[in-house]
Amino acid sequence: MKIDVLLGLQWGDEGKGKIVDVLTNNYEVVARFQGGPNAGHSLEINDIKHVLHLIPSGIFHKNSINVIGNGVVLDPVIFKEEIDALTDLGVNAKERLHISKKAHLILPTHRILDAAYEQAKGETKIGSTLKGIGPCYTDKTSRNGLRVGDILSSNFIEKYNKLVEKHKLILNQYNFQYDISEYEKKWFESIELIKSFKIIESEVVINNYLNQDKKILAEGAQGTMLDIEFGSYPFVTSSNTICAGACTGLGVAPGKIGEVYGIFKAYCTRVGAGPFPTELFDNTGKELQNIGNEFGATTGRPRRCGWLDLVALKYSIMLNGVTQLIMTKADILNSFETIKIAVGYKYGNKIIDYIPFEIDNNIKPIYKEFKGWETDLSDISDANNLPEELINYIKFIEDETNVPIKIISIGPDRNQTIFK
Ligand code: GDP
Ligand code: IMO
Ligand code: MG
């Protein structure tokens, strides 16, 4: 059996949480492979909205096994908050959730370092979620990090203090004021909770599942344009959000990757700083933001909005080897008379159809216009009954990308999903 991967093709918030929840009907295991509590994955079940940051989006399915993979960075405090919220809803996460021993821990001082680095950057700040993601991955790659498995060792406190001392030296240099005492207390309480979960060698467990022909879905966080390697660097996150990240973040060989579901919004959004070629600064952008309720699920910040960017989408499809596309939030475009897609960029006096090394203000998108469908989609459940204009919109994207759009999402609820 192979492992299927679902990942974002834009700048995050494409609707991964909702679709993973929907697809979990067909999977026995859901595994997060990268990122941390910078993610906010929303799902809506029976009019109740849930936001998950660390816990895989299959958790609401009674019979699913959910794995936090080695590629994830885990903040125990946020983990505990999520577990408490699930417990209140009657979800027994302890039965369904496994945590990799190799997942790195976000320390309270990682969060402070994130804030100190952002403050020092001033105007050029990334717009980080301030969850300590960058500093935690930095410690991972500089071989200083603490991992979930370390909490079981007798000298854990010693290891913790040693790393915190290192962080304090850096923070002193930045002259950054902070007080972690309260958060640190909660952090250690939460560590005790983690100890009561199944802490596993996830790479071995996942490969055993594959050998037993169990169906596994790998859940990505963020989006391809935020990938540390191929995103709009330095305005990116600190992990590999692309499909290759599922191999390193779960310990799965490249040949074991099956379907790659690439998810995108029918338009584009971005939260935080950095280039965004199709961003709209006019009323249309505001309308997309209002109708789409485009506010970050993790930080509540308004999301910047714009038209679909086919140049970026094709780039993402190439990097991930996407085999099936999923388009979300089609319903947000219901009232638009005209809809646009960027099909190329004017770059100085050249026309290009690729993402250049530096995306700057010299880039001007070239748009193709589409007639809007101006129809409420809420009663449609069969793809054949979609309005002709939406069918044309979908067909154009499929023809340009050479990848079929298999799912069209027309609302936040589980049931507002059309399979094609
Ligand atoms: P994720 O990070 O990729 O999981 O996406 P987020 O949860 O951060 O953001 C997607 C937002 O859109 C959430 O509020 C979802 O509830 C909502 N959503 C997802 N799919 C649809 C859809 O098809 N239509 C509408 N109107 N909302 C959707
Ligand atoms: P999900 O999984 C949207 C953005 C931040 C910032 C940059 C770096 O919900 O799609 P970080 O905290 O990682 O150092 O921030 O990346 N960012 C996201 N944007 N959705 C996310 O996750 C994001 N996770 C990080 O806004 O610009
Ligand atoms: Mg999100």
Side-chain angles (χ1 to χ4, degrees):
M1 187 60 84
K2 295 195 172 186
I3 182 169
D4 297 341
V5 182
L6 183 142
L7 43 79
L9 297 178
Q10 296 164 321
W11 283 272
D13 303 329
E14 298 90 349
K16 298 175 289 294
K18 171 195 159 157
I19 300 296
V20 169
D21 172 59
V22 169
L23 292 179
T24 305
N25 287 326
N26 308 325
Y27 290 91
E28 293 160 279
V29 183
V30 180
R32 265 282 297 271
F33 60 87
Q34 45 70 232
N38 48 350
H41 293 182
S42 323
L43 21 139
E44 218 173 281
I45 308 168
N46 302 328
D47 289 334
I48 302 175
K49 183 170 176 159
H50 310 276
V51 182
L52 298 168
H53 302 286
L54 281 164
I55 295 176
S57 303
I59 198 74
F60 290 97
H61 291 252
K62 245 207 314 271
N63 299 321
S64 69
I65 298 168
N66 290 260
V67 180
I68 295 181
N70 56 278
V72 172
V73 288
L74 187 150
D75 182 330
V77 177
I78 295 173
F79 176 80
K80 182 172 183 300
E81 282 166 7
E82 276 188 56
I83 296 295
D84 290 348
L86 288 171
T87 308
D88 288 348
L89 293 168
V91 176
N92 186 349
K94 222 169 261 189
E95 259 177 20
R96 303 178 203 166
L97 186 63
H98 301 232
I99 308 169
S100 171
K101 278 188 184 170
K102 295 192 174 74
H104 276 247
L105 289 169
I106 300 176
L107 271 57
T109 37
H110 281 138
R111 293 163 56 96
I112 308 291
L113 283 168
D114 211 352
Y117 293 151
E118 282 284 77
Q119 194 188 67
K121 274 182 177 271
E123 291 273 286
T124 59
K125 73 175 182 183
I126 309 296
S128 152
T129 59
L130 301 178
K131 303 293 176 193
I133 306 296
C136 183
Y137 278 116
T138 302
D139 273 340
K140 174 178 180 172
T141 47
S142 67
R143 298 159 294 181
N144 288 303
L146 284 184
R147 297 181 292 175
V148 169
D150 290 321
I151 68 176
L152 305 172
S153 74
S154 55
N155 62 345
F156 176 61
I157 301 282
E158 226 172 278
K159 287 181 182 171
Y160 171 87
N161 286 335
K162 198 168 156 203
L163 187 51
V164 169
E165 281 315 309
K166 219 180 194 110
H167 294 162
K168 284 184 175 166
L169 283 176
I170 303 172
L171 289 164
N172 285 345
Q173 280 184 348
Y174 277 81
N175 215 356
F176 196 81
Q177 300 303 308
Y178 60 95
D179 176 6
I180 55 164
S181 52
E182 209 175 300
Y183 204 82
E184 195 174 48
K185 188 166 165 277
K186 285 202 261 178
W187 197 86
F188 278 104
E189 283 164 12
S190 309
I191 289 285
E192 289 310 307
L193 176 78
I194 294 178
K195 283 183 186 164
S196 67
F197 276 76
K198 298 184 189 90
I199 301 177
I200 59 167
E201 265 88 10
S202 56
E203 65 282 20
V204 177
V205 171
I206 294 227
N207 281 286
N208 284 343
Y209 286 155
L210 287 175
N211 293 336
Q212 294 158 12
D213 281 344
K214 276 202 187 341
K215 292 200 74 186
I216 311 180
L217 179 64
E219 174 180 2
Q222 290 78 54
T224 301
M225 299 307 287
L226 290 172
D227 181 80
I228 181 72
E229 201 73 37
F230 297 107
S232 44
Y233 193 88
F235 299 97
V236 293
T237 190
S238 300
S239 64
N240 280 118
T241 60
I242 56 170
C243 187
C247 295
T248 56
L250 294 173
V252 174
K256 292 258 169 80
I257 301 289
E259 292 294 323
V260 181
Y261 303 105
I263 182 166
F264 69 101
K265 272 179 200 172
Y267 49 100
C268 262
T269 64
R270 171 165 206 167
V271 61
F276 179 5
T278 62
E279 181 168 15
L280 293 168
F281 300 94
D282 57 5
N283 264 344
T284 309
K286 273 261 160 287
E287 262 182 272
L288 285 171
Q289 190 182 68
N290 291 337
I291 304 172
N293 193 21
E294 293 295 356
F295 296 91
T298 297
T299 58
R301 290 177 294 177
R303 295 178 184 144
R304 301 152 64 192
C305 297
W307 296 120
L308 183 66
D309 184 339
L310 203 59
V311 180
L313 193 69
K314 284 181 181 172
Y315 182 66
S316 297
I317 290 171
M318 171 186 85
L319 293 170
N320 291 300
V322 172
T323 60
Q324 300 188 26
L325 287 167
I326 297 168
M327 185 169 89
T328 60
K329 302 193 95 160
D331 54 303
I332 304 308
L333 300 180
N334 283 355
S335 58
F336 288 78
E337 208 180 307
T338 306
I339 297 166
K340 297 185 189 180
I341 296 183
V343 291
Y345 298 146
K346 195 159 182 291
Y347 191 40
N349 35 19
K350 276 197 301 197
I351 289 178
I352 59 171
D353 61 358
Y354 61 89
I355 305 266
F357 177 73
E358 238 170 345
I359 314 176
D360 54 30
N361 289 336
N362 289 323
I363 284 197
K364 302 278 176 257
I366 302 164
Y367 289 112
K368 181 174 165 60
E369 285 193 9
F370 294 79
K371 192 173 169 317
W373 43 94
E374 298 183 89
T375 314
D376 181 10
L377 302 176
S378 41
D379 288 332
I380 302 176
S381 54
D382 183 336
N384 295 316
N385 298 334
L386 289 170
E388 194 189 331
E389 293 83 356
L390 176 52
I391 291 176
N392 289 342
Y393 191 72
I394 291 170
K395 174 99 181 26
F396 178 77
I397 299 167
E398 290 182 327
D399 288 347
E400 286 290 313
T401 58
N402 275 321
V403 187
I405 298 182
K406 294 281 200 173
I407 297 176
I408 300 127
S409 174
I410 54 160
D413 195 89
R414 262 183 184 174
N415 299 320
Q416 293 167 305
T417 312
I418 299 174
F419 292 84
K420 191 158 84 62

